[in-house]
Amino acid sequence: MVRVSSYVKRVNGKLVRVKAYVRSAPGSRSKSDSDSLSPIWLLTVAMLVIAAIFGGIAAGATSSPSTSDVEAAPGRGVAAPAALPPGPIGSLAEALRTARLNSGLSKNQVSTQTGIDESTIDGFERAQIIPNNSDLKKLTPIYGLSEDQWNRLEIMRLEILGEAF
């Protein structure tokens, strides 16, 4: 709180009472009106930041379809991943991706129907994970693959692993 004192001063020949506001010493500062607004200011800034973060996330979630949604849409002509490795591992990944797209399913739908995690299916299609025999057996009916097509996938898998067949 600011103390107010007054004194008398002669101005143009008249005595005038003048109010003087006395400030405290620098270390013993009292709260002023601007200091009481700082928590409100901090709260307002925090709310704006939170709104911007959640607004950005919500806008990002609704602004464009996810890659699995785009890939699942028939006739979209989605390009293959940029750089699959050469050889059997790239061929296996491309064959799995093509089979899924031909079946018209998204990675999420395949994951739900087979119990294989969606990130694992993505790893198969990007040649980052080599599927095991049971995963290929789970994918075969979902993708609508014939026995010959399954045998080709299994041969590619065994070539990658370096096993004799």
Side-chain angles (χ1 to χ4, degrees):
M1 193 165 195
V2 178
R3 287 185 336 182
V4 178
S5 64
S6 63
Y7 61 93
V8 178
K9 181 178 181 182
R10 188 173 293 266
V11 178
N12 295 333
K14 295 182 182 177
L15 291 177
V16 179
R17 180 166 294 237
V18 178
K19 291 184 181 179
Y21 296 93
V22 179
R23 295 186 184 200
S24 303
S28 63
R29 207 174 132 210
S30 65
K31 271 193 166 181
S32 66
D33 290 340
S34 64
D35 289 340
S36 65
L37 293 179
S38 65
I40 294 171
W41 181 82
L42 288 174
L43 182 61
T44 303
V45 170
M47 288 173 52
L48 288 173
V49 168
I50 291 170
I53 290 171
F54 285 113
I57 291 171
T62 59
S63 65
S64 64
S66 67
T67 55
S68 60
D69 293 339
V70 171
E71 290 171 356
R76 283 275 178 112
V78 176
L84 288 175
I89 192 164
S91 299
L92 178 62
E94 180 61 30
L96 289 171
R97 183 176 184 279
T98 302
R100 179 181 59 79
L101 292 175
N102 288 340
S103 70
L105 298 171
S106 69
K107 293 174 190 171
N108 190 341
Q109 291 168 326
V110 172
S111 174
T112 303
Q113 292 179 18
T114 62
I116 301 170
D117 192 46
E118 187 175 346
S119 63
T120 303
I121 294 169
D122 186 59
F124 294 162
E125 294 181 8
R126 294 183 182 274
Q128 296 170 342
I129 301 173
I130 301 169
N132 58 32
N133 189 3
S134 65
D135 288 340
L136 284 179
K137 285 182 180 179
K138 289 177 188 176
L139 293 172
T140 298
I142 302 298
Y143 289 167
L145 300 176
S146 67
E147 188 175 337
D148 287 339
Q149 290 170 322
W150 180 84
N151 285 334
R152 279 190 225 117
L153 292 176
E154 182 62 18
I155 289 170
M156 282 187 251
R157 187 184 77 77
L158 292 173
E159 286 177 355
I160 295 166
L161 298 174
E163 297 178 10
F165 43 88

